Amino acid sequence: MSNISFGYSIPYLFVVTIYLVLSLLTMSERNRILFGVRVRYLCVGLFVLFIGLRGFIGSDCYPYYYNYQQTSTFYNFYEGSFEPGFVFIFRCFKTLGFSYAGYLFVITVIEGLVLDAFFKRYSPNYAFGWLAYFSFGGLILSIDLQRNILSICMFLISIPYLWKRKFLPYLILNLIGTSFHASAILYLPFYFIATKQIEKRWFLIIFITCNVLFLSGSGVLSLMMNLLGERIGGGYYLQFQSYLVNFDYAKGISVGYIERTITFLLIYYFSGKLRSLDRRNVLFINMFLCYYVAYFLFADNEVLAVRISLLFKCSYWILIPALYYVMQRQENRKIYIAYLSVYALLWTAFTTNNIDFKYENQLTGISSYEQRVSETNRRLKF
């Protein structure tokens, strides 16, 4: 069995294509009214069936499954390998007698309902929101990053309180999110800048600074580590260096870099129209700026760059559809849709073309945990 094959990508491409077709079908207001309810049911149902009934897919499913099997059924808040809130969820499901597959299904239903409410409330095109979700981070979040997606869902639930400037419920919800994944603590300081309208000159300052640091290989993390390591000296300096992932993984021009640059420039150019389309888009514009800064300034450490920036990736899920509706010329809209369609399909194909993403579904039968571990071990030998 080949480790790399675009055959593994076919199920994911099929799902993304469905969301793409639904997005195109509901571009006009007339069709959104005509097909609205049925499209909602179809989008959520597809998400639950595809994600909630998956087998052992991705790389992080193995530690999650192992820890679930090891989790006892009695309540012990501080025991476990993950954050206490996530361990508590494991214990609740084990106490209620759920298998790991049952736990995945219920958690996915909850995620689907949260995303449904989020897209219905903020996206100008409901199905387009789901397409953006699958194409810009959501697929990996739902499959591989269970703790992260739960903390992000708590943030999505808290956004109405963020907009209404109700700090206490916002704080409580995101502290719960922090108990699922510690990185969610960064949502707390975001409260103080979320609704501020950033002047366009600051967009340019952020863009130039991030790109200079990124393309020169001078990430903030490496500068801080080097400074601290030099002050301490000796073996500590070498230890700090070992924490830094080789910058070559992200340095220079790549498809991801081009996409982020195009998205930044579009949001910069249309920022005023985006706010006119929906005043609440100021939240998502500021989230995007946080995403952009986090990704590029911490790009010398892959784990930090991805995990921190993912917290604010939800800005894409609203702004990508919104950009279509602030473009006045039909030619520009057609070019934009063509660009997004190609990007979504290519990103999906190249992200899921390895054996870790060989799709299996509970309805048609899945390989056992031992079989998938064996396949993964064979892949790692080559």
Side-chain angles (χ1 to χ4, degrees):
M1 184 178 293
S2 175
N3 289 331
I4 303 294
S5 171
F6 285 108
Y8 301 135
S9 303
I10 292 175
Y12 304 94
L13 289 169
F14 176 72
V15 170
V16 169
T17 301
I18 291 177
Y19 283 119
L20 175 59
V21 170
L22 291 175
S23 301
L24 295 174
L25 179 66
T26 54
M27 283 298 182
S28 69
E29 185 175 0
R30 175 180 175 276
N31 283 351
R32 285 199 298 278
I33 295 172
L34 186 61
F35 301 109
V37 175
R38 283 173 286 183
V39 166
R40 275 186 72 190
Y41 287 147
L42 185 54
C43 286
V44 176
L46 181 60
F47 174 76
V48 170
L49 291 176
F50 188 76
I51 301 294
L53 295 177
R54 70 187 185 274
F56 295 101
I57 298 171
S59 57
D60 282 9
C61 62
Y62 307 115
Y64 282 123
Y65 175 83
Y66 176 81
N67 277 276
Y68 188 83
Q69 296 304 105
Q70 297 301 312
T71 299
S72 57
T73 57
F74 58 86
Y75 175 81
N76 186 328
F77 198 68
Y78 292 102
E79 184 181 321
S81 303
F82 301 121
E83 287 85 351
F86 192 73
V87 173
F88 177 68
I89 288 179
F90 267 12
R91 295 196 183 286
C92 287
F93 276 91
K94 286 296 289 285
T95 300
L96 293 172
F98 282 87
S99 65
Y100 180 72
Y103 148 78
L104 278 184
F105 182 78
V106 174
I107 287 294
T108 303
V109 170
I110 294 171
E111 291 172 13
L113 293 175
V114 172
L115 290 168
D116 167 68
F118 177 65
F119 294 135
K120 186 174 183 294
R121 181 177 288 122
Y122 299 108
S123 180
N125 182 320
Y126 179 85
F128 206 162
W130 280 102
L131 175 65
Y133 177 80
F134 267 80
S135 306
F136 293 94
L139 177 63
I140 298 301
L141 278 167
S142 290
I143 288 177
D144 245 1
L145 306 176
Q146 295 180 30
R147 288 142 58 223
N148 298 74
I149 187 59
L150 286 176
S151 66
I152 290 172
C153 281
M154 295 308 298
F155 173 66
L156 299 184
I157 294 171
S158 76
I159 288 179
Y161 301 107
L162 176 63
W163 178 246
K164 295 175 183 176
R165 313 308 292 158
K166 295 183 177 180
F167 182 68
L168 185 59
Y170 178 82
L171 174 67
I172 292 171
L173 287 168
N174 285 290
L175 286 177
I176 295 172
T178 302
S179 76
F180 299 144
H181 198 280
S183 64
I185 195 72
L186 294 177
Y187 285 133
L188 301 187
F190 179 68
Y191 177 88
F192 301 100
I193 63 170
T195 57
K196 296 185 180 299
Q197 184 169 318
I198 308 297
E199 296 179 14
K200 278 200 167 185
R201 63 188 177 94
W202 285 107
F203 277 76
L204 293 177
I205 291 171
I206 289 170
F207 181 78
I208 293 170
T209 303
C210 288
N211 279 276
V212 167
L213 289 173
F214 177 74
L215 295 174
S216 66
S218 303
V220 168
L221 187 66
S222 60
L223 293 174
M224 292 173 59
M225 286 288 211
N226 284 327
L227 180 61
L228 184 59
E230 287 171 359
R231 281 182 170 272
I232 297 175
Y236 290 105
Y237 178 72
L238 297 176
Q239 187 173 0
F240 285 140
Q241 287 292 312
S242 70
Y243 293 136
L244 299 177
V245 177
N246 192 317
F247 189 80
D248 288 341
Y249 89 93
K251 184 178 179 180
I253 308 300
S254 65
V255 173
Y257 176 82
I258 293 171
E259 175 274 307
R260 280 180 282 274
T261 301
I262 291 173
T263 304
F264 186 99
L265 294 175
L266 286 173
I267 291 173
Y268 165 75
Y269 183 77
F270 289 111
S271 58
K273 290 185 178 181
L274 287 168
R275 287 189 288 265
S276 297
L277 181 70
D278 188 328
R279 290 189 307 120
R280 299 170 300 180
N281 279 341
V282 67
L283 298 173
F284 302 106
I285 292 172
N286 291 345
M287 283 181 214
F288 175 78
L289 291 175
C290 289
Y291 161 81
Y292 195 83
V293 169
Y295 187 87
F296 282 109
L297 293 192
F298 294 106
D300 48 346
N301 185 286
E302 184 176 12
V303 174
L304 280 178
V306 172
R307 294 302 174 94
I308 294 177
S309 63
L310 270 177
L311 291 170
F312 301 101
K313 194 87 175 189
C314 52
S315 58
Y316 272 82
W317 310 338
I318 301 303
L319 294 179
I320 290 297
L323 282 168
Y324 173 86
Y325 289 97
V326 297
M327 295 179 182
Q328 299 299 317
R329 297 178 60 184
Q330 287 300 319
E331 295 81 1
N332 291 341
R333 287 185 169 188
K334 290 176 182 178
I335 293 171
Y336 182 66
I337 289 298
Y339 156 71
L340 285 179
S341 301
V342 171
Y343 176 83
L345 295 173
L346 286 178
W347 182 89
T348 302
F350 282 96
T351 300
T352 60
N353 69 340
N354 68 76
I355 197 170
D356 284 343
F357 285 90
K358 185 180 76 172
Y359 186 77
E360 294 177 335
N361 192 284
Q362 298 282 350
L363 296 178
T364 55
I366 65 170
S367 302
S368 68
Y369 170 76
E370 290 75 18
Q371 287 173 314
R372 290 308 298 262
V373 168
S374 177
E375 288 179 1
T376 299
N377 290 336
R378 285 198 301 271
R379 175 180 64 82
L380 294 174
K381 288 180 181 179
F382 297 98

